[in-house]
């Protein structure tokens, strides 16, 4: 039925294309010249004189517009700059530089957009820029979504510091994590990978909702999150960031880039952080966050021969140690817990991680500027040695990814296609001891996943009106056979200021039970895994409508969207059957997630941006025969953000409130009364704020996270008896840490 719907839509769109007028498309970029400094202009107006046909420039200052018959005068305008009129004859691409219309002694300063959605992209994609990342401490990727209404980040448990994201009401397992369009942080890196990307390394983040295109694989059941690192060609010559907070965490980031000649550039990104102060704000005897040491290093080289060929090569090395558990435990091996008599025994957690990555990219752009070929390859080795009380878990993962992509046009630039071959392999070696004192009771898990594949994707565009992306891929899995993945995206401009987007598609995912859920070992629950687990399979479809309204010379942006994910097969993590165990088995029944969100953005007055959003999560799955709401997820979410920048951007003030609705908690009724918890949690809110003072080459920032000092009461069950039968740190729905005050400094020598 779903395939029939997609085929019907494609046929309908093909019919539309037969009647579309093949007007010539004019493209270009609009820039501004202020004090001899040229920068791209976001939101500049581009329109044909004496017509209603127009558009605005995107985040990169670029535009594309159809040329109506008889129109030759193209007008470009922006508030504060002299408009320019271009006579268009045979040329199809223009670079327009607008001059300031202010007097020389008056300095005009603009505020760069923090996050935005491109008007040209057919996918529902939110771009988070470096300006948005500076609104909060943003020590790493996990802290980059505090001002974003679409992505939630929360702790997986109250003992290990593991974090997970949620998108469209589902956990991060169903979101394809990417670094520069390379699938990354899978398997063993799922729980802690958000901490592996320092904030100072990121150039931008792209959040795509719904199924992604088929180019990057068959995963991305609910969306993609792609991180773009800073590039040697345009990043700072030198950048330094120092950060510290009142709980004892501090970090240092040093980045530098060198232009060796007109073809070779290189960059070094280095990070070191420590959190060596034990805190126990909730008085349960356990560290609220594990003690942490992380060393992170990246070196990349870029080559451009200025004749169509480019390449990149880089390495990344990470070493991290997490030490958690009861206050006072400082051991490095499980036996360190068994000193003295049993009354003195302390429960400890130690997670020691080493990760090595290498990547290579190469691309060639042919002379017609529409045809290109690219190769992307990445290899990673991840090793984790860990223990959780008496449980010991050691694992290794070796992953290789390669993607060969060819792109060209059919006839003209409004009809494009991409095709290619891909290869993904993952090798897991896992060893689990449920009690290191009984080494004979060991589980050894070995698994190898080899998946070659091929894809084809077609893009049809009627400029300023309709864009269709239709694609499919076939993958050959060594365990699960042939996988077919169809996906469709469409964007329709109802008016120049009203844009409708829709998508539908299928996705698959291979669950890695222990690697992705090792935080559950920090409990007394048994781990019970069903035999012969199948791949997860789901359909995702939804729509987004965006309305732009001009009010008092400023643009109000309104978004409304709905997405649904239907699972045909899913790995169920069942903590409801018993308080003594967690069961892993394939879905037998219904499982779905409905997600509805509305959002508005407006510059209330010059310098003050306001963002307000509200979201409804309706997420249910069949647990042991009963259709129930997924636990530990707020049914409703809200966000309100104020960001004010003074004239000339000498000061910036940011204030964010996150509203979290009520939700369900797995039953603990079979526990002794003192270890029982309510079957639901109430609504709560988190408030964050930050003040930044800007100087010529550096800035200082001071902020507060969780200003209201809200904490989940008694997050750890039986913390007074961690080696007993009722100990559980996994029923987490709210923050474990209380109020945190931080400060930092950023210093940069920018590249001209």
């Amino acid at each position: 039925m779903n395939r029939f719907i997609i085929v019907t839509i494609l046929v309908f769109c093909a019919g539309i294309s037969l009647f579309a007028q093949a007007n010539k498309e004019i493209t270009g970029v609009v820039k501004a010249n202020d004090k001899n400094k040229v920068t791209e202009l976001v939101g500049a107006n581009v329109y044909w004189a004496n017509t209603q046909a127009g558009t605005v420039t995107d985040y990169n200052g670029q535009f594309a517009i159809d040329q109506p018959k008889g129109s030759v005068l193209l007008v470009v305008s922006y508030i504060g700059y002299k408009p320019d009129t271009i006579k268009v004859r045979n040329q199809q691409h223009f670079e327009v530089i607008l001059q300031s219309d202010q007097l020389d002694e008056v300095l005009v300063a603009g505020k760069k957009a923090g996050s935005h959605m491109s008007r040209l992209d057919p996918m529902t994609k939110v771009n988070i820029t470096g300006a948005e990342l500076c609104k909060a401490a943003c020590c790493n990727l996990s802290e980059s979504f505090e001002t974003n209404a679409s992505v939630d980040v929360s702790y997986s448990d109250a003992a290990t510091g593991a974090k997970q994201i949620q998108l469209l009401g589902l956990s991060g397992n169903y979101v394809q994590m990417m670094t520069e369009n390379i699938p990354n942080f899978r398997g063993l890196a799922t729980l802690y990978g958000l901490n592996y990307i320092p904030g100072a390394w990121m150039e931008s983040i792209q959040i795509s909702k719904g199924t992604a295109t088929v180019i990057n694989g068959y995963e991305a059941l609910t969306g993609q999150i792609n991180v773009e690192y800073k590039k040697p060609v345009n990043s700072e010559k030198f950048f330094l960031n120092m950060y510290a907070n009142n709980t004892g965490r501090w970090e240092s980031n040093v980045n530098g880039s060198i232009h060796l000649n007109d073809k070779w550039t290189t960059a070094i990104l280095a990070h070191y952080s420590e959190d060596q102060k034990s805190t126990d704000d909730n008085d349960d005897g356990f560290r609220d966050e594990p003690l942490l040491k992380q060393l992170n290093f990246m070196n990349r080289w870029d080559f451009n021969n200025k004749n169509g060929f480019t390449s990149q090569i880089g390495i990344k090395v990470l070493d991290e140690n997490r030490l958690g558990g009861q206050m006072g435990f400082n051991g490095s091996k499980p036996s360190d817990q068994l000193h003295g008599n049993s009354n003195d025994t302390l429960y400890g957690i130690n997670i020691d991680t080493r990760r090595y990555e290498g990547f290579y990219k190469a691309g060639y752009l042919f002379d017609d500027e529409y045809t290109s070929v690219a190769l992307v390859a990445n290899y990673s080795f991840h090793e984790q040695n860990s223990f959780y009380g008496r449980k010991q878990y050691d694992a290794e993962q070796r992953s290789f990814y390669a993607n060969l992509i060819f792109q060209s046009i059919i006839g003209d630039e409004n009809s494009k296609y991409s095709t290619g071959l891909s290869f993904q392999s993952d090798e897991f070696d896992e060893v689990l001891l449920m009690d290191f004192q009984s080494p004979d009771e060991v589980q050894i898990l070995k698994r190898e996943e080899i998946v070659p594949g091929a894809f084809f994707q077609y893009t049809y565009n009627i400029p300023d009106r309709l864009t269709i992306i239709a694609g499919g891929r076939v993958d050959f899995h060594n365990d699960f056979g042939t996988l077919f993945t169809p996906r469709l995206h469409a964007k329709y401009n109802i008016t120049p200021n009203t844009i409708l987007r829709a998508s539908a598609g299928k996705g698959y995912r291979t669950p890695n039970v222990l690697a992705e859920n090792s935080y559950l070992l920090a409990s007394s629950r048994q781990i019970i895994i069903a035999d012969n687990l199948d791949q997860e399979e789901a359909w995702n479809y939804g729509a987004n409508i965006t309305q732009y309204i001009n009010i008092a010379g400023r643009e109000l942006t309104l978004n409304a969207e709905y997405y649904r994910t239907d699972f045909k097969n899913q790995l169920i993590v069942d903590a409801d059957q018993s308080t003594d165990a967690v069961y892993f088995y394939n879905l037998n029944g219904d499982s779905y997630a409905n997600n509805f969100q509305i959002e508005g953005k407006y510059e209330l007055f010059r310098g003050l941006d306001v963002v307000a959003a509200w979201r409804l999560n309706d997420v249910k799955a069949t647990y042991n025969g009963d259709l129930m709401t997924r636990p530990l997820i707020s049914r409703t979410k809200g966000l309100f953000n104020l960001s004010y920048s003074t004239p000339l951007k000498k000061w910036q003030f940011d204030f964010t409130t996150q509203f979290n609705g009520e939700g369900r908690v797995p039953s603990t009724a079979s526990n002794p009364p003192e270890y029982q918890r309510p079957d639901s949690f109430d609504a709560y809110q988190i408030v964050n704020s930050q003040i930044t003072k800007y100087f010529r080459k550096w800035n200082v920032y001071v902020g507060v996270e969780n200003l209201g000092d809200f904490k989940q009461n008694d997050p750890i069950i039986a913390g007074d008896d961690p080696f007993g039968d009722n100990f559980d740190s996994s029923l987490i729905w709210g923050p474990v840490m209380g109020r945190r005050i931080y400060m930092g400094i950023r210093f940069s020598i920018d590249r001209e």
Side-chain angles (χ1 to χ4, degrees):
M1 180 63 182
N2 289 312
R3 295 182 184 178
F4 173 77
I5 293 173
I6 291 177
V7 172
T8 302
I9 294 174
L10 288 174
V11 172
F12 173 74
C13 295
I16 293 177
S17 67
L18 294 176
F19 295 96
Q21 293 184 359
N23 293 336
K24 183 170 70 173
E25 184 184 53
I26 304 301
T27 61
V29 60
V30 179
K31 299 180 180 180
N33 186 356
D34 270 327
K35 299 294 184 181
N36 296 321
K37 184 177 181 180
V38 178
T39 58
E40 290 79 11
L41 271 180
V42 182
N45 296 304
V46 182
Y47 60 93
W48 295 101
N50 303 315
T51 75
Q52 297 297 315
T55 186
V56 296
T57 56
D58 64 11
Y59 172 69
N60 297 311
Q62 298 178 351
F63 69 88
I65 187 171
D66 246 8
Q67 183 178 11
K69 292 181 180 180
S71 295
V72 294
L73 298 180
L74 188 65
V75 181
V76 182
S77 66
Y78 192 85
I79 296 175
Y81 296 89
K82 298 176 182 178
D84 195 3
T85 302
I86 305 165
K87 183 174 288 188
V88 178
R89 293 298 187 188
N90 297 321
Q91 188 177 351
Q92 288 185 267
H93 185 81
F94 295 88
E95 180 180 271
V96 183
I97 301 178
L98 300 183
Q99 305 295 326
S100 173
D101 64 358
Q102 308 296 322
L103 297 177
D104 289 342
E105 62 269 20
V106 179
L107 182 63
V108 179
K111 188 176 182 181
K112 197 171 185 179
S115 63
H116 68 282
M117 185 182 299
S118 170
R119 297 194 186 206
L120 304 178
D121 200 317
M123 299 176 63
T124 304
K125 182 184 295 184
V126 178
N127 294 283
I128 300 177
T129 68
E132 184 75 9
L133 295 175
C134 289
K135 290 183 178 181
C138 191
C139 295
N140 52 56
L141 181 60
S142 71
E143 299 175 350
S144 303
F145 305 105
E146 291 183 357
T147 59
N148 183 270
S150 299
V151 179
D152 301 315
V153 179
S154 61
Y155 284 101
S156 299
D157 67 288
T160 70
K163 290 184 177 181
Q164 62 176 336
I165 63 172
Q166 293 176 2
L167 181 66
L168 303 187
L170 292 167
S171 64
N173 294 344
Y174 304 110
V175 180
Q176 189 176 33
M177 298 298 300
M178 313 271 287
T179 53
E180 299 190 343
N181 293 313
I182 297 174
N184 215 331
F185 303 131
R186 309 160 70 247
L188 286 171
T190 300
L191 294 177
Y192 307 103
L194 294 176
N195 297 310
Y196 295 165
I197 303 180
W201 292 15
M202 295 186 290
E203 180 183 82
S204 62
I205 305 171
Q206 292 79 44
I207 304 168
S208 302
K209 298 181 183 180
T211 58
T213 65
V214 297
I215 293 177
N216 299 123
Y218 57 74
E219 295 180 335
L221 276 69
T222 62
Q224 276 183 349
I225 294 180
N226 178 60
V227 175
E228 291 291 329
Y229 292 122
K230 291 181 177 179
K231 310 294 191 300
V233 68
N234 57 13
S235 63
E236 309 94 345
K237 292 181 180 179
F238 177 79
F239 177 83
L240 172 68
N241 176 42
M242 301 290 291
Y243 165 95
N245 70 19
N246 67 311
T247 63
R249 175 179 172 181
W250 69 273
E251 71 170 56
S252 174
N253 296 279
V254 179
N255 305 339
S257 66
I258 302 174
H259 288 199
L260 300 175
N261 52 47
D262 62 341
K263 296 180 180 179
W264 282 97
T265 59
T266 185
I268 291 177
L269 301 94
H271 166 92
Y272 182 76
S273 59
E274 277 194 14
D275 190 345
Q276 294 297 299
K277 180 182 177 182
S278 297
T279 57
D280 182 19
D281 286 348
N282 47 37
D283 299 321
D284 59 7
F286 275 71
R287 291 187 176 104
D288 296 333
E289 283 189 322
L291 303 184
L292 175 71
K293 287 185 178 181
Q294 184 189 104
L295 175 64
N296 215 334
F297 175 84
M298 181 179 180
N299 178 220
R300 62 185 301 167
W301 294 75
D302 288 13
F303 173 78
N304 188 335
N305 73 349
K306 309 298 182 179
N307 194 30
F309 177 77
T310 61
S311 67
Q312 303 174 29
I313 189 169
I315 61 169
K316 184 180 177 185
V317 179
L318 176 135
D319 189 288
E320 182 184 87
N321 182 266
R322 294 170 176 265
L323 182 67
Q326 288 183 291
M327 299 286 288
F329 177 78
N330 293 299
S332 59
K333 53 186 182 295
S335 58
D336 292 337
Q337 302 170 107
L338 304 181
H339 62 86
N341 58 57
S342 60
N343 293 329
D344 296 326
T345 300
L346 295 176
Y347 186 98
I349 297 173
N350 186 280
I351 304 168
D352 195 24
T353 302
R354 285 157 298 282
R355 182 177 175 88
Y356 310 97
E357 291 183 49
F359 71 87
Y360 176 74
K361 298 180 179 181
Y364 181 75
L365 180 64
F366 292 84
D367 292 337
D368 63 4
E369 297 188 355
Y370 297 113
T371 304
S372 64
V373 62
L375 173 66
V376 178
N378 186 78
Y379 175 81
S380 66
F381 172 79
H382 191 113
E383 181 183 28
Q384 176 180 319
N385 301 110
S386 55
F387 64 85
Y388 309 78
R390 296 187 180 127
K391 299 171 184 174
Q392 188 168 342
Y393 176 64
D394 297 325
E396 291 183 359
Q397 178 183 349
R398 289 165 288 277
S399 299
F400 176 74
Y401 170 82
N403 202 10
L404 180 65
I405 309 167
F406 179 81
Q407 298 181 350
S408 190
I409 61 175
I410 302 174
D412 59 37
E413 62 270 24
N414 292 324
S415 183
K416 304 176 183 178
Y417 71 92
S418 303
T419 188
L421 303 172
S422 67
F423 181 83
Q424 175 76 57
S425 69
D426 292 283
E427 185 179 352
F428 291 88
D429 292 316
E430 301 171 275
V431 178
L432 174 63
L433 279 170
M434 293 303 288
D435 189 336
F436 78 94
Q437 294 177 295
S438 303
D440 295 335
E441 300 177 11
V442 60
Q443 297 183 47
I444 300 177
L445 303 176
K446 288 181 176 288
R447 184 175 66 83
E448 187 174 18
E449 189 175 15
I450 300 175
V451 191
F455 60 87
F456 181 86
Q457 179 173 287
Y458 174 72
T459 302
Y460 178 75
N461 181 46
I462 301 176
D464 298 323
R465 182 59 65 180
L466 177 69
T467 303
I468 299 288
I469 300 178
R473 62 177 298 125
V474 178
D475 293 275
F476 307 95
H477 198 286
N478 61 314
D479 287 332
F480 302 109
T482 302
L483 310 175
F484 175 63
T485 309
R487 291 179 180 174
L488 175 71
H489 297 82
K491 179 180 77 76
Y492 180 69
N493 291 14
I494 301 174
T495 71
N497 291 318
T498 307
I499 300 174
L500 176 65
R501 294 177 175 88
S503 66
K506 195 176 189 179
Y508 300 88
R509 197 187 79 88
T510 303
N512 303 289
V513 176
L514 284 179
E516 297 168 355
N517 299 279
S518 59
Y519 69 92
L520 292 171
L521 296 174
S523 74
S524 298
R525 292 176 181 262
Q526 295 295 309
I527 305 296
I528 301 177
I529 305 173
D531 295 331
N532 301 318
L533 290 176
D534 202 354
Q535 262 199 328
E536 296 185 281
E537 180 181 345
W539 282 90
N540 180 284
Y541 41 91
N544 164 284
I545 187 166
T546 306
Q547 178 69 53
Y548 301 94
I549 305 172
N550 189 288
I551 300 177
R554 290 180 287 271
E555 193 171 70
L556 169 66
T557 303
L558 298 175
N559 276 297
E561 61 191 34
Y562 168 77
Y563 286 92
R564 179 179 173 91
T565 307
D566 273 316
F567 285 92
K568 297 185 65 176
N569 193 26
Q570 185 182 24
L571 177 70
I572 300 298
V573 182
D574 187 351
D576 284 278
Q577 280 194 54
S578 170
T579 57
D580 299 326
V582 180
Y583 296 84
F584 295 87
Y585 52 85
N586 282 124
L587 175 69
N588 183 16
D590 294 329
S591 178
Y592 60 82
N594 294 310
N595 186 274
F596 173 74
Q597 179 173 308
I598 55 174
E599 181 178 4
K601 296 182 179 182
Y602 185 64
E603 186 180 14
L604 193 60
F605 54 82
R606 186 173 180 83
L608 178 63
D609 292 329
V610 181
V611 179
W614 180 85
R615 184 169 79 250
L616 172 67
N617 297 317
D618 176 27
V619 186
K620 293 184 178 180
T622 302
Y623 297 88
N624 195 29
D626 295 324
L627 184 64
M628 295 190 294
T629 300
R630 183 170 174 173
L632 308 176
I633 295 178
S634 293
R635 179 170 171 79
T636 57
K637 287 276 188 174
L639 180 137
F640 182 74
N641 173 259
L642 293 172
S643 179
Y644 176 68
S645 178
T646 62
L648 307 183
K649 200 178 181 180
K650 292 185 176 182
W651 291 87
Q652 182 165 326
F653 303 87
D654 295 287
F655 177 88
T656 304
T657 300
Q658 301 171 355
F659 303 92
N660 302 271
E662 60 185 15
R664 186 178 75 85
V665 178
S667 175
T668 56
S670 60
N671 281 346
E674 64 271 24
Y675 297 144
Q676 294 179 7
R677 297 291 186 270
D679 291 344
S680 63
F681 59 88
D682 296 329
Y684 64 96
Q685 67 184 55
I686 302 296
V687 177
N688 304 315
S689 64
Q690 179 177 286
I691 300 174
T692 307
K693 169 61 177 174
Y694 288 91
F695 300 91
R696 187 167 178 265
K697 292 184 179 295
W698 56 287
N699 63 76
V700 179
Y701 56 95
V702 179
V704 182
E705 296 179 304
N706 195 0
L707 182 62
D709 199 31
F710 178 83
K711 300 182 291 290
Q712 178 179 338
N713 292 327
D714 301 319
I716 295 180
I717 298 176
D720 58 341
D721 185 21
F723 294 101
D725 296 333
N726 304 114
F727 174 66
D728 192 354
S729 67
S730 65
L731 303 185
I732 297 301
W733 48 262
V736 178
M737 295 287 291
R739 183 186 300 111
R740 282 186 285 188
I741 302 172
Y742 64 86
M743 68 174 298
I745 182 173
R746 304 183 186 99
F747 173 80
S748 66
I749 301 176
D750 295 331
R751 189 169 301 282
E752 295 180 0

